[in-house]
Amino acid sequence: LAVNGEAIYDTRAWVEAPEMDRVKFTRKGDVRYAISLEWPGATLEFATDHTISKVSLLGHDEALAFSQQGGLVTITVPQLSIDSLPCQHAWSFRIE
């Protein structure tokens, strides 16, 4: 929770988010979170009508590349070594 707590504590369900088996969605104010319960691989894709301006991975210092076309968001997941992963059990993407 040291890394992912921001995406869990004092959040609410992101009601408009799609239902995905291994990804859960929360929100806090205007910030949304996608919490992946397994490493998503090269990209994480989901549908939303929310306009996105910035995406980051909690525990990783750099902003992530993403695209948004026709309601589909594609986040380019950083290629990290096992030693540089911010945690080992779930990965939270901060979506602004």
Side-chain angles (χ1 to χ4, degrees), residues 28-90:
K28 186 185 307 182
D30 290 337
V31 177
R32 272 70 171 163
Y33 299 92
I35 306 166
S36 182
L37 304 178
E38 60 186 24
W39 185 250
T43 61
L44 175 63
E45 293 184 335
F46 58 92
T48 184
D49 59 0
H50 179 74
T51 301
I52 295 171
S53 61
K54 181 180 177 183
V55 177
S56 58
L57 174 64
L58 297 184
H60 181 70
D61 293 333
E62 301 173 20
L64 305 183
F66 71 94
S67 64
Q68 184 172 17
Q69 289 184 317
L72 180 67
V73 174
T74 303
I75 299 170
T76 302
V77 178
Q79 299 302 304
L80 303 173
S81 70
I82 193 74
D83 294 330
S84 62
L85 289 173
C87 61
Q88 299 296 315
H89 304 289

Side-chain angles (χ1 to χ4, degrees), residues 1 4-5 7-8 16 22-23 40 55 58 63 66 85:
L1 291 175
N4 295 316
I8 298 166
E16 304 86 12
R22 304 295 297 165
V23 180
V55 177
L58 297 184
F66 71 94
L85 289 173

